[in-house]
Amino acid sequence: MIPIPLVVVVLGGWCAIYLADTLLTSSKTYKSSYEEWLSTHGLSISPFHIRWQTTIFNRLFYKWGRWRPYFLYIWCRYYNSAGIRTTYVSFLLHSRFSLGMVFGILAMFGSMILLGRTLIQTLHQMMTDTPGPQNDRMLQVVVPGVNLPISQLTYFFSAILISGVIHEVGHGVAAVRETVRFNGFGMFIFVLYPGAFVDLFTTHLQLISPIQQLRIFCAGVWHNFILGLLGILILFPLPAILYPFYYTGVGALVTEVVEDSPASGPRGLFVRDIITQIQDCPVTSVDDWHKCLNDISVKPQTGFCISTATLQQLHFPSRVYRRLDGSVECCSNNSLSDICFSFTGNGYSQQHACLPARKAIQSNPECQSNADCQKSASSSVCAIPSIENQTRLIRVKHPPQLDMLFIGYPVHLEYGVSLSSFIPRYKFLSVELPVVIETFCKYVISLSGALAVINAVPCFALDGQWILNSFLEATLTSLIVEKENRELLGFFILLAGSVLLTANVALGLWMVTAR
């Protein structure tokens, strides 16, 4: 569930705001001046909702809506039938929103298909005893503290705010292009989530044609798509963009080690260490790190080639017994550096030896059987750590330091270390900057795309409602003459979309928090 401190802060903050608002509005002395102050600053307060609206950006929106770039005049000039030179400027700007209109209509139908598939996947996972990972679903409910780390809330809310602002800017600029009066721009906070909105003159919206309405209503999801595309264009060539300052492809740079995690300590990992290998799996990037750990967790424990002379030198007699999970232990329970190894002797019998781990496996190659060790030394055997099921002995190389030895669950090692694929060329450069850029781009891409999909759904109170109504008016007027019948058809489609979206949100929230 959401951490208690976060819940307390959020609820406490809203209670304080609402209490102060109630006291001031009920006070005979301060009521009129307080309401005047709210009105002057464009503020309105209601339970769990603060709204701010202003007209200071109106001129900027009108400027964007009537933009005439000079380079397009030079590049796209042509002569009309009368021989008078003119430009494609108006046509191109108009076509941009026409393209957005087509995208919005396709997104409306595509969002229904996507929500349907997501709902089927969710129901399938609910009916299975061992549900698979939820990362394979394109749409997921995000709950801070559950499937969203608290440390990444800044990225999350910043990306939501930017995506919302760009979405509303699209509506506003498109409205100005279609000669609809622009009243103002605003922002709001609902519980924890920030957002934005534009105030358009409703009468003007009703007077323009359905095609013009579609350009305005689809502009939001279109601009979210463009924002996500921009994020992709920054994310993928990021190594080339940062090449003068950071290089990649030689390892994974440690940017943070969680305190008291298995990776911390004098023989653990440190910030600016470069991990080059896990077991026999080479690491050239963060993706390699995750892939190697995933492979290690699903494959049997790797052994190490140890010479028989080393076994005789380091081995000391100890009692052998079996754990409850069936694994064998041959070392003292209070030993922190010794590990029980199992190997096949000359008589093909299973033998066990308690050895100091670092001395036994230091610089020794990995193996799965004795045959793997015969290639390097005929007197070597493949000694496999005999540890509890699902735990692993993992050797992490981060030269020039000694190899780090880890015993435990691979996922604990994965979550105990933060890494970056970008290695600074100079010591004064921050190890965090590429991670910040990369993470922020990923959040913008995912959240801006999600905002485009959700708003395109034909659902009550979302952009999809107005997109659907305008689409029906633009396409079905000749087929369904009666306006009431078109509205009835639109109502049933909106009802289906609303039920589909609500089911996805409700079941997705239950899957994240209750299961």
Side-chain angles (χ1 to χ4, degrees):
M1 297 298 292
I2 301 177
I4 292 179
L6 180 61
V7 175
V8 172
V9 170
V10 173
L11 293 180
W14 278 112
C15 287
I17 292 172
Y18 188 62
L19 179 61
D21 180 69
T22 303
L23 291 175
L24 289 171
T25 52
S26 60
S27 172
K28 295 181 179 179
T29 306
Y30 300 104
K31 179 179 179 180
S32 58
S33 58
Y34 174 65
E35 291 180 345
E36 182 181 354
W37 181 83
L38 289 177
S39 177
T40 303
H41 291 82
L43 291 170
S44 62
I45 299 175
S46 57
F48 301 103
H49 186 269
I50 295 179
R51 177 186 174 108
W52 170 71
Q53 182 174 341
T54 182
T55 59
I56 60 176
F57 300 111
N58 286 22
R59 181 171 296 182
L60 188 60
F61 273 90
Y62 278 104
K63 182 179 179 181
W64 288 340
R66 296 166 180 170
W67 183 46
R68 295 292 189 273
Y70 178 73
F71 76 91
L72 281 180
Y73 174 80
I74 299 298
W75 180 256
C76 302
R77 63 183 183 270
Y78 74 105
Y79 290 87
N80 60 19
S81 58
I84 301 175
R85 191 171 68 176
T86 181
T87 70
Y88 284 125
V89 171
S90 180
F91 171 74
L92 288 176
L93 290 176
H94 212 64
S95 297
R96 184 184 71 177
F97 292 104
S98 296
L99 185 60
M101 177 188 68
V102 174
F103 175 82
I105 294 171
L106 294 177
M108 179 179 64
F109 293 107
S111 64
M112 294 287 285
I113 298 173
L114 182 59
L115 286 178
R117 292 186 59 183
T118 304
L119 183 60
I120 293 173
Q121 289 178 340
T122 303
L123 292 174
H124 177 71
Q125 289 185 351
M126 291 176 62
M127 287 185 273
T128 57
D129 295 330
T130 56
Q134 299 186 33
N135 294 331
D136 57 351
R137 294 189 299 167
M138 292 189 65
L139 294 177
Q140 297 184 47
V141 176
V142 176
V143 180
V146 179
N147 57 351
L148 174 67
I150 299 298
S151 60
Q152 297 193 359
L153 285 180
T154 303
Y155 295 111
F156 179 75
F157 290 122
S158 299
I160 282 184
L161 181 59
I162 291 175
S163 299
V165 169
I166 295 299
H167 180 97
E168 297 303 325
V169 166
H171 285 312
V173 174
V176 172
R177 288 292 305 167
E178 303 300 334
T179 66
V180 173
R181 194 174 80 186
F182 184 84
N183 294 330
F185 169 82
M187 302 176 69
F188 65 87
I189 297 178
F190 177 70
V191 188
L192 272 174
Y193 297 91
F197 63 92
V198 290
D199 183 15
L200 306 178
F201 192 52
T202 307
T203 304
H204 283 185
L205 271 175
Q206 295 172 346
L207 293 176
I208 60 178
S209 69
I211 296 297
Q212 291 177 298
Q213 292 176 359
L214 275 173
R215 292 195 186 102
I216 296 173
F217 297 141
C218 294
V221 298
W222 171 243
H223 279 71
N224 279 136
F225 170 75
I226 295 299
L227 179 62
L229 185 61
L230 179 62
I232 293 175
L233 293 177
I234 295 175
L235 180 62
F236 281 94
L238 191 59
I241 295 173
L242 297 180
Y243 181 78
F245 309 101
Y246 298 85
Y247 59 92
T248 59
V250 297
L253 179 72
V254 178
T255 59
E256 182 184 7
V257 179
V258 177
E259 188 176 358
D260 296 328
S261 70
S264 63
R267 293 292 181 92
L269 299 173
F270 296 91
V271 175
R272 287 186 180 266
D273 281 355
I274 301 176
I275 299 174
T276 59
Q277 190 171 325
I278 307 175
Q279 302 290 58
D280 59 349
C281 182
V283 175
T284 60
S285 65
V286 177
D287 291 338
D288 289 343
W289 163 267
H290 294 301
K291 181 179 181 298
C292 290
L293 285 178
N294 182 67
D295 291 343
I296 290 172
S297 63
V298 298
K299 292 180 179 179
Q301 171 65 59
T302 300
F304 300 88
C305 293
I306 303 177
S307 66
T308 53
T310 303
L311 281 173
Q312 294 176 358
Q313 178 184 0
L314 298 178
H315 171 60
F316 54 88
S318 59
R319 186 171 63 91
V320 177
Y321 62 91
R322 289 190 177 274
R323 302 187 184 95
L324 294 177
D325 61 2
S327 59
V328 174
E329 177 59 86
C330 61
C331 293
S332 173
N333 289 334
N334 57 7
S335 175
L336 298 178
S337 59
D338 299 335
I339 295 178
C340 181
F341 289 84
S342 64
F343 59 94
T344 303
N346 294 331
Y348 299 100
S349 60
Q350 194 72 15
Q351 300 182 29
H352 300 87
C354 183
L355 306 173
R358 185 169 293 278
K359 291 182 180 180
I361 69 175
Q362 187 172 8
S363 302
N364 291 340
E366 286 85 5
C367 60
Q368 295 295 335
S369 65
N370 287 346
D372 297 332
C373 300
Q374 303 303 319
K375 303 173 184 177
S376 56
S378 58
S379 60
S380 297
V381 296
C382 184
I384 301 176
S386 180
I387 52 182
E388 297 180 21
N389 289 340
Q390 307 302 322
T391 61
R392 297 289 186 271
L393 170 61
I394 301 174
R395 181 169 63 183
V396 179
K397 292 184 177 294
H398 55 123
Q401 287 80 10
L402 290 174
D403 297 348
M404 183 190 78
L405 301 183
F406 167 84
I407 297 181
Y409 297 99
V411 68
H412 292 170
L413 177 60
E414 189 171 14
Y415 290 135
V417 184
S418 296
L419 301 171
S420 171
S421 300
F422 297 86
I423 301 172
R425 295 183 181 273
Y426 311 102
K427 290 185 177 180
F428 66 88
L429 292 174
S430 170
V431 298
E432 297 287 348
L433 179 60
V435 178
V436 170
I437 298 174
E438 189 176 32
T439 306
F440 182 71
C441 285
K442 290 179 180 178
Y443 270 97
V444 167
I445 293 168
S446 59
L447 292 176
S448 186
L451 191 62
V453 171
I454 297 303
N455 271 281
V457 177
C459 173
F460 293 107
L462 294 179
D463 286 351
Q465 175 182 359
W466 316 115
I467 294 174
L468 176 67
N469 291 339
S470 300
F471 176 73
L472 294 179
E473 289 297 318
T475 57
L476 297 183
T477 305
S478 58
L479 295 177
I480 304 177
V481 180
E482 296 293 334
K483 184 177 179 63
E484 292 79 4
N485 293 336
R486 295 195 299 272
E487 291 177 348
L488 184 62
L489 174 62
F491 172 79
F492 283 115
I493 296 176
L494 289 173
L495 184 62
S498 301
V499 171
L500 186 59
L501 180 59
T502 303
N504 271 278
V505 173
L507 295 180
L509 187 62
W510 183 83
M511 288 286 291
V512 169
T513 59
R515 189 151 187 175

